[in-house]
Amino acid sequence: MTPKALSFDVFGTCVDWRRAVARDTAMHVPGVDPLAFAVAWRGQYQPAMERVRTGARGYVALDELHLENLHHVAESFAVTVPDPAALNTAWERLDPWPDVVPGLTVLRRSVPIAPCSNGSIAMMTALARYGGLPWDCILGADIARSYKPKPEVYRACAAVLRLAESDVMMVAAHNADLAAAADAGLATAFVPRRDEHGPGQTVDLRAEGPWTVVAEDFRDLATQLFPDPV
Amino acid sequence: MTPKALSFDVFGTCVDWRRAVARDTAMHVPGVDPLAFAVAWRGQYQPAMERVRTGARGYVALDELHLENLHHVAESFAVTVPDPAALNTAWERLDPWPDVVPGLTVLRRSVPIAPCSNGSIAMMTALARYGGLPWDCILGADIARSYKPKPEVYRACAAVLRLAESDVMMVAAHNADLAAAADAGLATAFVPRRDEHGPGQTVDLRAEGPWTVVAEDFRDLATQLFPDPV
């Protein structure tokens, strides 16, 4: 199966949010354990989006949710963040894993590549400029005005690219993301990121579903999908 | 005034649709005047979008409108197009004017750049891959689900980038496009394309409004906006 386009999860799959957010936290909030703070901040991610997914709240871009979550986390750590808006832009400066830019560069010689992230178009644009991610266009939550794993987010990637769902392959380091993408009709590729959550990581260490492709990293994905690139 | 992002008209401003569509027409429809056919095809562009703008018809991507218009034009030229869907992809292979890629490459060192076109995200993605247009993201009609010159299309550029409207500058070779962008609150830059309609061109030869910037081409625009690029 050769996809006609590739859509990518970003946080964890393309970029290392944990160390980058911790680095900015250390600069903005002295005296707090920056890695613990980053993990707790990220921990508020799913519950905040869930209120949008259930319809309890209208669509709000992830930038807003991150800022609200920052207030909650600061409260639970009993610290004051002098400039929350500035710290919130940490999510626009996340370093790509080493294989990502070279892998994407090879992949996009064959097909269009786009993020299908819960991050906003603004956040994904900033992140691409920071890390040199060579996207052809930016898809995801802002396009569907909903959050993964809602099926409409994956389906919107195909619809906007004017492709059949089965011609688009979702690439992610998270089995749950791929399960939802497969349910929405997309092809799937699993790439493990065994260090996303640090040394003690216990989840998503390996493929746990019948994914279309399992690759070691983005370069391996390129070799498997397009052995004879144009 | 230094903009925080630049949004670009594409057909005519960035790419030469007339010669490129004529070239593909000549391949697909022998025996027809290809430049006249291309101009007539493009001539159906505004009336087709107007039905969407007035609400007489729901939002339909420009790819669909182009295909419908192709049938009308073929009828009026009394010719048969053997493969209309293939000829319709001519709009995905339009050559950039010579200053466009070098100019965009310099401009995006300073701020994000995005098309704000009536073309779909799929069409703009294909066009960028064909011509090497180094967009940071793709905005425009598909994002707003409406067509320029409706104000919501320009405003959506700013909203999606999470910027104030006055911080986004619309770049176009068409005075009417800039008038609508200015009404929507955007800054404006006029760049003439005196050959868009061929040797007899009578419209848009010069700036006809109080645009924020008037430049000779994209390289001149870069020099005027960012004399000391980062």
Side-chain angles (χ1 to χ4, degrees):
Chain A
M1 183 271 170
T2 303
K4 293 186 179 163
L6 297 170
S7 61
F8 291 78
D9 176 59
V10 173
F11 302 120
T13 300
C14 294
V15 297
D16 177 2
W17 56 268
R18 187 172 151 273
R19 285 182 188 79
V21 172
R23 177 187 62 204
D24 275 31
T25 298
M27 292 193 299
H28 280 81
V29 198
V32 80
D33 175 345
L35 277 170
F37 192 94
V39 168
W41 193 1
R42 175 74 176 178
Q44 304 262 340
Y45 174 70
Q46 290 297 346
M49 290 189 301
E50 189 59 18
R51 288 189 286 278
V52 174
R53 287 190 288 242
T54 59
R57 180 175 189 183
Y59 179 72
V60 190
L62 188 60
D63 315 67
E64 303 295 334
L65 299 182
H66 275 161
L67 190 58
E68 294 171 10
N69 294 346
L70 175 55
H71 287 289
H72 300 317
V73 175
E75 215 166 65
S76 73
F77 277 70
V79 293
T80 303
V81 179
D83 190 345
L87 178 51
N88 202 40
T89 65
W91 295 94
E92 301 176 359
R93 291 181 301 277
L94 310 178
D95 300 300
W97 304 110
D99 57 292
V100 166
V101 172
L104 292 178
T105 302
V106 174
L107 287 163
R108 86 180 281 240
R109 285 183 205 142
S110 297
V111 291
I113 59 170
C116 176
S117 165
N118 281 332
S120 67
I121 291 178
M123 198 188 292
M124 288 298 117
T125 300
L127 212 50
R129 289 175 62 83
Y130 173 81
L133 306 171
W135 304 126
D136 288 294
C137 61
I138 292 181
L139 306 174
D142 261 5
I143 298 276
R145 296 187 68 79
S146 187
Y147 283 115
K148 296 189 297 178
K150 293 284 263 188
E152 55 263 38
V153 185
Y154 306 98
R155 288 190 187 128
C157 288
V160 164
L161 293 173
R162 303 178 62 76
L163 294 173
E165 278 133 15
S166 57
D167 281 332
V168 178
M169 180 177 280
M170 182 75 198
V171 182
H174 309 127
N175 286 284
D177 200 359
L178 296 182
D183 282 348
L186 278 71
T188 50
F190 180 80
V191 176
R193 297 300 184 189
R194 301 190 187 89
D195 193 36
E196 174 182 0
H197 300 286
Q201 182 163 333
T202 57
V203 297
D204 290 320
L205 294 171
R206 63 192 63 79
E208 288 159 16
W211 315 137
T212 318
V213 176
V214 176
E216 192 48 37
D217 61 21
F218 282 13
R219 279 181 286 224
D220 180 33
L221 182 65
T223 306
Q224 289 193 47
L225 288 179
F226 309 109
D228 304 303
V230 283
Chain B
M1 183 271 169
T2 303
K4 293 185 179 164
L6 297 169
S7 62
F8 292 78
D9 175 59
V10 174
F11 302 119
T13 299
C14 294
V15 297
D16 176 3
W17 56 269
R18 186 172 150 274
R19 285 181 188 81
V21 172
R23 178 188 63 204
D24 275 31
T25 298
M27 291 193 300
H28 280 81
V29 198
V32 80
D33 176 343
L35 276 169
F37 192 94
V39 169
W41 193 0
R42 175 75 176 177
Q44 305 263 339
Y45 173 70
Q46 289 297 346
M49 290 189 301
E50 189 60 19
R51 288 189 287 277
V52 174
R53 286 190 288 243
T54 59
R57 180 176 189 182
Y59 178 72
V60 189
L62 189 60
D63 315 65
E64 302 294 333
L65 299 181
H66 275 161
L67 190 58
E68 294 172 10
N69 293 346
L70 175 55
H71 287 290
H72 300 317
V73 175
E75 216 167 64
S76 73
F77 277 71
V79 292
T80 302
V81 179
D83 190 346
L87 178 51
N88 202 40
T89 64
W91 296 94
E92 299 175 2
R93 291 181 302 277
L94 310 178
D95 299 301
W97 303 112
D99 57 292
V100 166
V101 173
L104 292 178
T105 302
V106 174
L107 286 163
R108 86 180 281 242
R109 285 183 206 144
S110 297
V111 292
I113 58 170
C116 176
S117 165
N118 282 331
S120 66
I121 292 178
M123 198 188 292
M124 288 298 117
T125 300
L127 212 51
R129 289 174 62 83
Y130 173 81
L133 305 170
W135 304 125
D136 288 294
C137 61
I138 293 182
L139 306 174
D142 261 6
I143 298 275
R145 296 187 68 79
S146 186
Y147 282 114
K148 293 190 297 178
K150 293 284 263 189
E152 55 263 39
V153 184
Y154 306 98
R155 289 190 187 128
C157 287
V160 163
L161 293 173
R162 302 178 61 79
L163 294 173
E165 278 133 15
S166 58
D167 281 332
V168 178
M169 180 176 279
M170 182 73 198
V171 183
H174 309 126
N175 286 284
D177 199 0
L178 296 182
D183 283 348
L186 278 71
T188 49
F190 180 81
V191 177
R193 296 301 183 189
R194 301 189 187 90
D195 193 35
E196 174 183 358
H197 300 285
Q201 181 164 333
T202 56
V203 297
D204 290 321
L205 294 171
R206 63 192 63 78
E208 289 160 16
W211 315 136
T212 318
V213 175
V214 176
E216 191 49 37
D217 62 20
F218 282 13
R219 278 181 287 224
D220 179 34
L221 181 65
T223 306
Q224 289 193 46
L225 288 180
F226 309 108
D228 304 302
V230 283

